[in-house]
Amino acid sequence: MSAETAPEAAPETAPEAGAAATSPTGDPWLLTPGPLTTSPGVKQAMLHDYGSRDRRFIEVNRRLRERLVRIASGDAGGDGSHVCVPLQGSGTFVVEAMLGTFLPRDGKLLILVNGAYGQRIARICQYYGRAIAIQETPEDVPADPEALDRALQADGDISHVAVVHCETTSGILNPIEAVAEVTARHGRSLLIDAMSAFGALPLDVRALNADAVVASSNKCLEGSPGMGFCIARKDAIEATQGNAPSLCLDLHDQWVAMEKNGQWRFTPPTHCILALDQALAEFEAEGGVAGRGARYRENCRILVEGMRALGFQTLLPDALQAPIIVTFHVPGDPNFDFKTFYDSLRVQGYVIYPGKLTVAESFRIGCIGRLGPAQMRGALAAVAQALASMKVKNCAPIAA
Ligand SMILES: *Cc1c(COP(=O)(O)O)cnc(C)c1O
């Protein structure tokens, strides 16, 4: 099958189909923050070897960049004001590339932190020796636009603000629109890590007036792992020449080179690009951000309702929960053992994720990837089975 064909997901690839405990490839379903379960079509798309200068590859790459700009522009189509710069590596590579490229050496970044990914942004800046300020809220509290307003008022040295759209540590949704409004009002630049939300939650870089937004191929877009991308305002990236302290992670250099001949500077992840091209065709067939978001919201609803019915408690109230990944408190019942629980689910065909919280013992179950109601219900049945085999009676957390 050529990458240009089959934009429509075949019926048997629909995540609703069947309630088999394992996926069509016999792999477990991945209810994690990534890598995620991909569709048969996406896996199929990788069965090609394209040369990096192949006309077909250059066309796929061009189309992919255009589509990503469109998705970042509220699905409304690009108007030439923004560009897409893809980059090899996992999501963190492109986060680091964004920081290194967009932060001038004499700049200062205010980071809104409420989890591990915000902390990681701070850590990258420390490697690069860039000045930072941190405004931290607890892991179950969204970033605070009013506190941001006061901080920008008080510190004129702050040139940029960084925010994580969905902080995957807890699954909390940060108020990026309000953060963008405050940042713009103070005339500062905004950088967004939208890694775990891009493609599932609405985002319009033009309305947010962000300098740059980064995400990756393998989360809500449901491609394979291997590349990230930056959606940048053209005038903002034009002004970044000479900022980056790393050649590989210089998005300005990557952009200029790609504009010149449509090619990547260094060996492109061709299979990953073909997979993402197919994933974007399936994304469009599903109805873009609205369709993908609706499926994930339904996944999340089934999961949360089912887990609550079993007695589990979510870390977050529903109003703060993004339909991406849900954090549950570990039951206080002395018979509960996370490793046994995890292994039992794995044997039954479902992979979940340990918690990353510092405040409470927890675990996470993802709603994203090529999963539908059948997989969420299957996971709930597996959870019930695991609890029964551990003889766990009470799933309420230890009283705080
Ligand atoms: C997944 C993720 C990243 C990138 O993680 P990688 O493991 O490097 O792909 C960055 N930020 C957020 C919010 C994420 O969810």
Side-chain angles (χ1 to χ4, degrees):
M1 177 170 53
S2 108
E4 282 87 351
T5 60
E8 219 74 50
E12 70 271 20
T13 73
E16 295 72 31
T22 52
S23 69
T25 46
D27 302 312
W29 301 104
L30 302 176
L31 289 85
T32 69
L36 301 169
T37 300
T38 57
S39 75
V42 166
K43 287 186 263 285
Q44 276 280 331
M46 288 186 270
L47 301 177
H48 289 276
D49 302 315
Y50 275 23
S52 59
R53 293 167 186 226
D54 189 321
R55 199 171 32 76
R56 297 171 304 170
F57 172 68
I58 289 174
E59 169 55 20
V60 168
N61 192 55
R62 186 201 59 73
R63 178 168 70 199
L64 183 119
R65 292 174 65 209
E66 209 177 85
R67 276 172 157 162
L68 292 172
V69 170
R70 198 160 64 227
I71 296 167
S73 310
D75 256 349
D79 55 9
S81 59
H82 288 73
V83 298
C84 170
V85 189
L87 187 75
Q88 298 93 332
S90 85
T92 305
F93 287 62
V94 78
V95 173
E96 181 161 334
M98 168 175 74
L99 296 170
T101 303
F102 283 85
L103 260 185
R105 293 179 192 214
D106 59 356
K108 180 173 181 179
L109 180 68
L110 174 67
I111 309 163
L112 300 171
V113 174
N114 54 352
Y117 292 100
Q119 299 284 8
R120 190 176 294 174
I121 290 176
R123 203 151 167 242
I124 291 167
C125 291
Q126 281 153 7
Y127 268 80
Y128 283 181
R130 298 293 157 91
I132 58 169
I134 289 177
Q135 193 171 90
E136 189 159 6
T137 49
E139 286 159 333
D140 55 354
V141 176
D144 180 352
E146 283 168 27
L148 172 65
D149 189 20
R150 291 191 295 273
L152 295 181
Q153 187 75 43
D155 187 347
D157 289 343
I158 294 167
S159 56
H160 291 66
V161 173
V163 65
V164 179
H165 191 179
C166 165
E167 184 36 277
T168 324
T169 308
S170 63
I172 198 169
L173 185 61
N174 278 319
I176 55 166
E177 290 82 8
V179 166
E181 189 276 314
V182 171
T183 305
R185 181 147 45 78
H186 286 274
R188 319 296 168 85
S189 297
L190 182 64
L191 306 175
I192 302 176
D193 172 354
M195 207 67 61
S196 61
F198 193 90
L201 300 180
L203 174 141
D204 184 345
V205 273
R206 297 165 308 170
L208 296 172
N209 197 32
D211 276 28
V213 174
V214 288
S216 74
S217 55
N218 70 286
K219 292 199 178 181
C220 300
L221 296 178
E222 300 185 358
S224 79
M227 60 179 275
F229 54 88
C230 175
I231 309 294
R233 216 178 55 240
K234 207 166 168 182
D235 65 334
I237 195 167
E238 272 165 359
T240 62
Q241 185 168 17
N243 283 349
S246 156
L247 170 66
C248 289
L249 302 184
D250 186 345
L251 291 175
H252 183 273
D253 198 52
Q254 177 88 330
W255 173 57
V256 168
M258 206 170 277
E259 288 298 317
K260 223 172 259 167
N261 58 13
Q263 296 174 17
W264 291 52
R265 287 177 302 166
F266 315 128
T267 304
T270 48
H271 300 83
C272 179
I273 290 164
L274 291 174
L276 184 56
D277 184 55
Q278 172 64 21
L280 291 179
E282 294 178 13
F283 172 81
E284 282 162 14
E286 194 175 358
V289 173
R292 179 82 24 118
R295 172 156 60 86
Y296 291 171
R297 276 192 298 280
E298 180 64 0
N299 286 352
C300 186
R301 187 191 64 76
I302 293 169
L303 174 69
V304 169
E305 279 184 18
M307 291 293 280
R308 284 182 181 153
L310 290 169
F312 285 96
Q313 280 182 23
T314 58
L315 171 76
L316 299 172
D318 295 349
L320 300 181
Q321 177 71 59
I324 305 295
I325 191 163
V326 183
T327 300
F328 296 97
H329 287 285
V330 161
D333 190 313
N335 286 339
F336 185 88
D337 173 65
F338 180 73
K339 179 148 192 333
T340 309
F341 181 62
Y342 179 94
D343 290 344
S344 168
L345 295 179
R346 172 66 186 82
V347 167
Q348 295 181 76
Y350 300 91
V351 175
I352 63 164
Y353 222 60
K356 211 174 190 173
L357 294 187
T358 52
V359 294
E361 273 226 80
S362 63
F363 62 90
R364 291 177 287 173
I365 302 184
C367 315
I368 60 178
R370 204 67 182 172
L371 307 170
Q375 286 71 46
M376 303 319 284
R377 294 202 179 93
L380 288 167
V383 167
Q385 170 66 40
L387 294 172
S389 67
M390 285 188 289
K391 301 196 173 17
V392 170
K393 298 246 160 46
N394 184 358
C395 289
I398 304 167

